[in-house]
Amino acid sequence: MPRVRIEGVGTAPAVQSAPRSAVGLAVQAATACLDQSGIDPTALDLILYAGVYRDEYIAEPAIAALVAGELGINDDIESPDSPKTFTFDVLNGGVGFLNACHVATQMIGAGKAEHAMVVASEIENNSVDGDHPLYGLGETGSAVMLGRAGDTEGFGRFVFHHHPEYGQALATYFQHREEQSWLQVDRDPNLATHYLDCIPAAVEELLKLEEIDCSEVAAVFPPYLTDADRTELAAR
């Protein structure tokens, strides 16, 4: 299967002149990504959205479809043979972005797409003036453009491990009571410990599949953890 590389990246501007929205931030990031990559929007075959925290708790339609609509990408089909863009969401918490990159590489490798964009954005669902806590999210949008690469560049293998025994360690859900709506997030106090227990095995499997020694790895981008937990993860 051909390898896939990142052809461009984009992020939403840090300073916003209007209220932030998940769709708006994603559109800004996607626009910047298209500009940097130089890819004509009509050549974009696939858009995947991997953000978690959405405006007004939207589940349907897919945010990816809303982004494509705002950008006007292949939204006026003149004939069955006209260029088309397939859009859908991939929702899997903090792993969703990597899942979406994996899906995109499989689609490109299978010849179903030449260029794919993965977009994500996050906003605070709870109001600053409300009675429920803000969660300290960095409200922003990001996007990457993926395309075919040569034999020595681009993504290698992906490895995902599944641990259903920890499925309730982090629960995020919508609440509505007394005419108020809010996002409730429940975290197991041992959540970071679960991360530290699960990550090394996946890394070890990936290194073995790629036949790479730890000493050959130039950089590691860990999940969002405290300094002490990152130090512990590095030791493991």
Side-chain angles (χ1 to χ4, degrees):
M1 183 171 289
R3 294 171 74 96
V4 171
R5 69 185 182 94
I6 294 176
E7 297 180 317
V9 299
T11 56
V15 178
Q16 299 285 319
S17 57
R20 296 172 188 259
S21 72
V23 174
L25 291 170
V27 168
Q28 292 174 15
T31 301
C33 184
L34 285 166
D35 290 343
Q36 193 204 54
S37 67
I39 303 298
D40 190 302
T42 60
L44 190 52
D45 304 297
L46 178 65
I47 298 177
L48 303 176
Y49 180 84
V52 177
Y53 301 102
R54 302 150 178 245
D55 301 323
E56 301 178 354
Y57 318 102
I58 292 174
E60 294 290 345
I63 300 296
L66 298 178
V67 172
E70 289 291 326
L71 293 172
I73 296 179
N74 294 327
D75 60 344
D76 185 14
I77 303 300
E78 297 180 357
S79 75
D81 298 324
S82 298
K84 300 176 183 64
T85 302
F86 188 29
T87 67
F88 59 94
D89 292 356
V90 177
L91 183 62
N92 191 18
V95 186
F97 182 80
L98 196 60
N99 285 143
C101 288
H102 181 226
V103 171
T105 60
Q106 296 298 306
M107 294 280 282
I108 293 172
K112 300 297 184 181
E114 287 295 321
H115 302 286
M117 181 186 289
V118 177
V119 187
S121 61
E122 309 294 350
I123 62 162
E124 283 275 9
N125 289 108
N126 295 347
S127 170
V128 175
D129 301 322
D131 297 328
H132 304 283
L134 298 176
Y135 290 106
L137 298 173
E139 295 187 309
T140 189
S142 59
V144 297
M145 182 75 72
L146 306 179
R148 290 179 180 271
D151 296 333
T152 59
E153 61 179 355
F155 287 111
R157 290 178 174 86
F158 291 79
V159 167
F160 299 99
H161 282 192
H162 305 276
H163 296 272
E165 66 271 28
Y166 300 130
Q168 297 303 312
L170 177 60
T172 303
Y173 51 95
F174 169 78
Q175 289 279 76
H176 181 80
R177 192 179 304 143
E178 296 178 357
E179 300 184 352
Q180 287 194 9
S181 300
W182 73 93
L183 189 73
Q184 181 70 35
V185 179
D186 296 336
R187 287 182 172 84
D188 186 319
N190 296 315
L191 181 61
T193 300
H194 299 328
Y195 289 151
L196 295 174
D197 289 340
C198 297
I199 292 172
V203 173
E204 182 178 2
E205 180 182 347
L206 179 62
L207 292 175
K208 286 182 177 179
L209 288 172
E210 292 286 352
E211 299 181 346
I212 293 175
D213 185 78
C214 285
S215 62
E216 300 176 77
V217 177
V220 175
F221 297 88
Y224 181 76
L225 297 168
T226 65
D227 290 344
D229 288 331
R230 287 201 301 272
T231 299
E232 174 64 19
L233 179 60
R236 295 195 187 193

